[in-house]
Amino acid sequence: PYSRSITVVAMVDLVLIRAGQSEYENQGRIQGTLDVPLSTSGCDQVEEAAEQLRAAPFELAALYAGPCHGVQQTAATLGKLLGLKPKTLELLKNIDLGLWQGMLVDDVKQKQPKVFKKWRGAPDSVCPPQGETLQRVRERLKKAVAKIEKKHKSGVVGIVMPGPLVHVMRSELCEQPVADLWKFQGSEAPLWELIETSARRDG
């Protein structure tokens, strides 16, 4: 059964910000921890996210980001437009998808149909070849949130991550199961989402 691992002790609210799309994502490839720059459409997404955040009824007190190239690009642009200096957290690196990285999603589906089906439907139950389990990812995110909450006792903090990692973080904070990770890196996914403290309390 699904169990929650993040314990909330602070009053800080978190804004989960999806990094702009890369050329790999535009091509339907699995990016994982590979360093791929943003595409032109990805840069446009970042500017749109900045405009939305400037118009939001809250102000970001700080901005954290994972180490991947596209995430760093996203954070740098957001920081410039929002007047913030992004801080890098290695714990926020993208999910390591092992030998799948760089492959087209359709190729993985054809070559490893059983594993692919499990990964799409219940990613907690399977690990990509030479990749990282979601349990390890959850532990990293737990530590990242603890660091942020230790530094910020109140206010709103932005966290820039790749789409799949945003989905795992959200599932941890809101006690929701992880579904199809890859759909959260497409153009239809939300650019950002506010997770308020009240939504993260133990029930």
Side-chain angles (χ1 to χ4, degrees):
Y2 174 78
S3 61
R4 183 182 181 198
S5 60
I6 290 181
T7 301
V8 178
V9 294
M11 296 298 291
V12 64
D13 292 335
L14 301 176
V15 177
L16 309 184
I17 305 169
R18 181 168 58 87
Q21 282 186 283
S22 69
E23 286 296 345
Y24 260 32
E25 291 168 331
N26 288 348
Q27 295 168 12
R29 293 186 181 276
I30 299 169
Q31 183 167 313
T33 58
L34 299 178
D35 271 329
V36 183
L38 298 182
S39 63
T40 300
S41 60
C43 292
D44 292 340
Q45 289 173 339
V46 177
E47 292 187 4
E48 181 182 351
E51 289 298 323
Q52 292 180 7
L53 288 168
R54 277 198 291 213
F58 56 80
E59 185 175 347
L60 293 182
L63 190 64
Y64 289 83
C68 299
H69 187 78
V71 175
Q72 288 285 302
Q73 277 186 277
T74 300
T77 299
L78 289 174
K80 182 178 180 180
L81 296 176
L82 299 175
L84 294 168
K85 185 177 180 180
K87 302 177 180 69
T88 300
L89 275 183
E90 292 292 327
L91 292 166
L92 296 173
K93 68 178 181 179
N94 201 8
I95 304 168
D96 186 346
L97 296 173
L99 298 180
W100 289 355
Q101 296 182 164
M103 294 178 64
L104 292 169
V105 174
D106 288 343
D107 287 345
V108 175
K109 183 177 181 179
Q110 292 175 5
K111 294 177 181 179
Q112 298 178 318
K114 291 183 179 179
V115 179
F116 177 86
K117 185 176 180 180
K118 278 189 176 182
W119 180 253
R120 294 298 289 258
D124 272 304
S125 68
V126 66
C127 180
Q130 298 184 25
E132 181 181 28
T133 66
L134 283 196
Q135 183 57 41
R136 289 190 62 183
V137 177
R138 293 181 193 281
E139 289 303 316
R140 286 199 283 108
L141 295 182
K142 178 181 178 180
K143 292 176 182 177
V145 170
K147 282 181 175 288
I148 292 170
E149 290 182 333
K150 184 177 181 180
K151 181 73 173 179
H152 305 275
K153 303 301 182 183
S154 62
V156 184
V157 174
I159 306 178
V160 184
M161 296 177 286
L165 203 64
V166 168
H167 183 40
V168 178
M169 176 75 91
R170 188 185 191 283
S171 80
E172 282 290 309
L173 298 174
C174 300
E175 297 186 75
Q176 295 180 351
V178 175
D180 187 348
L181 292 173
W182 286 323
K183 75 178 183 180
F184 287 88
Q185 65 184 24
S187 58
E188 73 281 358
L191 298 175
W192 60 271
E193 181 179 3
L194 172 66
I195 307 294
E196 297 180 280
T197 303
S198 59
R200 301 162 53 204
R201 292 189 182 280
D202 288 322

